[in-house]
Amino acid sequence: MTMQIDRPQPQRHRRRRPWLVVGVALLAVGLTVLAAIGWSVWRDDVTMQRAQQVAGAQLQQRWSVPDDGSALQYGDPVAKITIPRFGADWSYTVLEGTGQDILAEGPGHYPGTADPGQFGNFALAGHRVGHDGVFDDAAELQPCDPIIVETRTQVLTYRMLPSPGEASGTCSTPPTSVPGREIVTPDADRVLWPVPNTTATTKPDLALITLTTCHPRFSARQRLIIHGVLTNVRQKTASSS
C-alpha cells in the first residue's frame, strides 16, 4: 500500500482592485464625517435647549417684578416669539444681541432697532441650519402668516406682508412699500432701517418686524429677509403674565 502525499497546490495571487480599496476608504471617511456632523448638531441642539430654559426662566422672573425702566443689556431676554407656521411647539425666548454666542442660544434682537410693538422695525436674526436652526423654515412663510410676540404686558400679532405681485393672503395689512420677502447680500443693512429700503432717517408710521437668516441653506452667501406688520395688540391680564 502506497502512501499518497498531498502536495501543496500553487496559490493563485489575487489582484487587489484599487478602486475597491479607495471606495472603502472614502466610505469610512464619509461615515466619520456624518457622525461628526450628527454629534455637532445634537450638541448644538442640547446647548440651545438648555440656554432657552435659562432664558425663559429669566424672562418670567423679569416679568414677575415691576419694570424698573432699565435698558436691556447684551444677552438679556427680550420677549417670546411664536410662529405657528413652524409648528405647534415652535416658541423661543428672544435675546438682546446678534453675536454668534447669542444666536447659538436662540433668536437675537438687533440692538438699536425698535422694541416690540413700537413704530419702527423690530428686527431679529436667527440661524437657518445648525444650532437648532430657529429660522430654518423661514422660506415657508406666506403672506398673512402670523408672527406672535409676547412682552411683559402685551401679545402682539404681526402678519407677514406680501411682496410685489404676490397675493396678500387672507388678511388685510396696511398699505406699505415694504416687501414681505427679499434676498439680499449680508451687508444690506437697509433691511434693518425703521422703514426698510427707504433711508435710515425715514420716520416710521407702522410697527414692523423683520426676520433675517442665511440663504441659501448651508450657506452664508446671502440673507433671506421676512418683513411683517403689526395688525393686532392684546393686553395681558395679571393672571396671564
Side-chain angles (χ1 to χ4, degrees):
M1 183 176 181
T2 60
M3 183 180 295
Q4 183 176 358
I5 299 176
D6 293 328
R7 295 181 179 180
Q9 299 296 318
Q11 294 182 354
R12 296 180 180 178
H13 295 283
R14 296 181 178 178
R15 293 183 179 179
R16 293 184 178 180
R17 299 176 180 177
W19 61 266
L20 181 59
V21 175
V22 172
V24 171
L26 290 176
L27 178 60
V29 171
L31 291 174
T32 301
V33 171
L34 286 175
I37 292 174
W39 162 254
S40 176
V41 171
W42 178 84
R43 179 198 60 200
D44 291 342
D45 286 354
V46 170
T47 298
M48 178 173 285
Q49 290 170 11
R50 291 175 177 172
Q52 279 290 302
Q53 289 176 353
V54 172
Q58 291 175 341
L59 187 64
Q60 291 298 329
Q61 174 62 28
R62 179 189 295 272
W63 288 351
S64 69
V65 297
D67 185 4
D68 60 6
S70 59
L72 289 171
Q73 302 299 312
Y74 186 82
D76 282 349
V78 177
K80 295 176 72 172
I81 183 171
T82 302
I83 302 180
R85 170 73 69 176
F86 295 167
D89 59 348
W90 194 98
S91 183
Y92 285 89
T93 298
V94 178
L95 302 172
E96 182 70 6
T98 57
Q100 289 302 311
D101 55 334
I102 295 296
L103 300 186
E105 299 183 354
H109 172 234
Y110 285 94
T113 65
D115 290 335
Q118 288 186 341
F119 278 6
N121 192 7
F122 176 53
L124 309 177
H127 284 299
R128 193 167 181 185
V129 292
H131 298 293
D132 203 25
V134 294
F135 290 159
D136 191 27
D137 294 327
E140 304 301 319
L141 284 170
Q142 301 298 317
C144 207
D145 275 355
I147 302 171
I148 303 167
V149 177
E150 181 182 353
T151 69
R152 175 192 293 268
T153 59
Q154 298 176 323
V155 177
L156 311 166
T157 299
Y158 295 85
R159 298 276 179 176
M160 179 178 167
L161 289 160
S163 293
E166 189 174 30
S168 61
T170 59
C171 67
S172 176
T173 55
T176 176
S177 61
V178 179
R181 187 193 327 267
E182 53 183 327
I183 296 173
V184 302
T185 56
D187 60 349
D189 59 355
R190 55 186 171 76
V191 301
L192 305 178
W193 291 345
V195 182
N197 304 322
T198 55
T199 69
T201 57
T202 300
K203 187 175 180 180
D205 58 1
L206 292 172
L208 301 169
I209 190 170
T210 293
L211 311 181
T212 72
T213 193
C214 291
H215 181 83
R217 295 187 71 206
F218 305 104
S219 171
R221 181 163 44 90
Q222 297 173 307
R223 296 292 183 268
L224 171 64
I225 311 298
I226 301 295
H227 297 295
V229 62
L230 184 63
T231 59
N232 183 265
V233 178
R234 177 172 65 83
Q235 300 296 325
K236 293 167 60 176
T237 62
S239 59
S240 65
S241 60

